Amino acid sequence: MSNTLFERKAYGSNKCKGKKESTDAFTIKSYSKNAKEKLGGPSLAGAFKTREGKPTSFRKFYERGDFPIALEHDTKGNKIAWKVEIEKLDYHHYLPLFYDGLCETAHPYEFFSRQGVHDMLEHGGSKILPVIPQLIIPIKNALNQRNPKVMCTTLKVLQHLVVSADMVGEALVPYYRQILPILNIFKNQNLNSGDGIDYSQQKRENIGDLIQETLEAFERHGGEDAFINIKYMVPTYESCMLN
């Protein structure tokens, strides 16, 4: 018999489905000359492929008119006009909803969620720290979407979050296992423009650079346990505190 027992079993299991070619890479044929060109390589894992976003709670609440916000235009562009003082908002209710909207890419949802988060972090003070556990899932969902625009927005929000109030950086350390895996995947996604101008760097939309900035912010504001926990999840990260 010319075929090995393994090859005959592999062929027979897929013969009725017309999938003989899918098993050839696991047979004696894989040892033949130019096998790679003939049989083909494995399919891409899709680690960098953008995932489809699900409808967010933020969009539902916005369309129902449940947010005390409106769009305001001035000479510097668009901004949010808050109908109440930001400091008096219920952060346990509103901040997680605005973080949920970070997955949005369509106007006006994307603008309101992004600017709303930054406004609330700017004025939240001591109200921010108790809400940290409720922000982790929205952050993780936004990063897992793997949309470059959404990731850049979320990374900038994370950088703002760690400096928004005392102890916030330390409070994020236990959640590195949920936040950092995606950052580890995209850490080296830098654009090389040669002698040209990299406009993504000028606009702070280079994912690799933003991830590096975010990890450094985590280390600076995360306390003594921050670095070892970052290093565990992102092995190629080097401390910025040694310089």
Side-chain angles (χ1 to χ4, degrees), residues 51-71:
R51 273 60 167 168
E52 289 294 329
K54 299 179 181 179
T56 65
S57 297
F58 176 86
R59 180 180 291 216
K60 180 181 71 173
F61 276 72
Y62 175 81
E63 291 177 344
R64 287 196 328 202
D66 289 348
F67 293 130
I69 55 176
L71 186 63

Side-chain angles (χ1 to χ4, degrees), residues 6-111:
F6 177 80
E7 185 177 0
R8 281 185 280 117
K9 285 185 176 181
Y11 174 64
S13 64
N14 288 288
K15 187 174 181 180
C16 62
K17 300 179 182 179
K19 292 185 178 180
K20 180 176 182 296
E21 68 280 6
S22 65
T23 62
D24 284 346
F26 300 96
T27 68
I28 197 171
K29 292 183 180 181
S30 62
Y31 294 96
S32 65
K33 187 177 180 181
N34 300 323
K36 185 176 181 180
E37 289 75 9
K38 293 178 181 178
L39 303 180
S43 58
L44 296 177
F48 303 104
K49 184 178 179 181
T50 300
R51 273 60 167 168
E52 289 294 329
K54 299 179 181 179
T56 65
S57 297
F58 176 86
R59 180 180 291 216
K60 180 181 71 173
F61 276 72
Y62 175 81
E63 291 177 344
R64 287 196 328 202
D66 289 348
F67 293 130
I69 55 176
L71 186 63
E72 182 178 301
H73 304 274
D74 61 15
T75 55
K76 296 181 180 180
N78 295 333
K79 67 177 184 178
I80 293 181
W82 291 89
K83 299 177 182 178
V84 298
E85 294 182 31
I86 301 177
E87 295 84 353
K88 295 182 179 179
L89 290 171
D90 180 354
Y91 270 59
H92 279 281
H93 175 69
Y94 284 110
L95 192 57
L97 284 173
F98 275 87
Y99 265 82
D100 181 63
L102 293 175
C103 290
E104 295 285 353
T105 57
H107 186 79
Y109 314 107
E110 180 271 336
F111 168 77

Side-chain angles (χ1 to χ4, degrees), residues 139-180:
I139 290 171
K140 182 180 177 182
N141 289 341
L143 293 173
N144 279 336
Q145 197 167 320
R146 308 186 189 204
N147 180 306
K149 183 177 181 180
V150 171
M151 289 190 69
C152 288
T153 297
T154 306
L155 290 167
K156 293 173 185 177
V157 164
L158 284 171
Q159 293 179 28
H160 192 174
L161 178 63
V162 296
V163 298
S164 61
D166 294 337
M167 302 300 293
V168 168
E170 290 92 329
L172 286 172
V173 174
Y175 302 104
Y176 285 175
R177 289 173 180 264
Q178 294 171 263
I179 298 174
L180 299 190

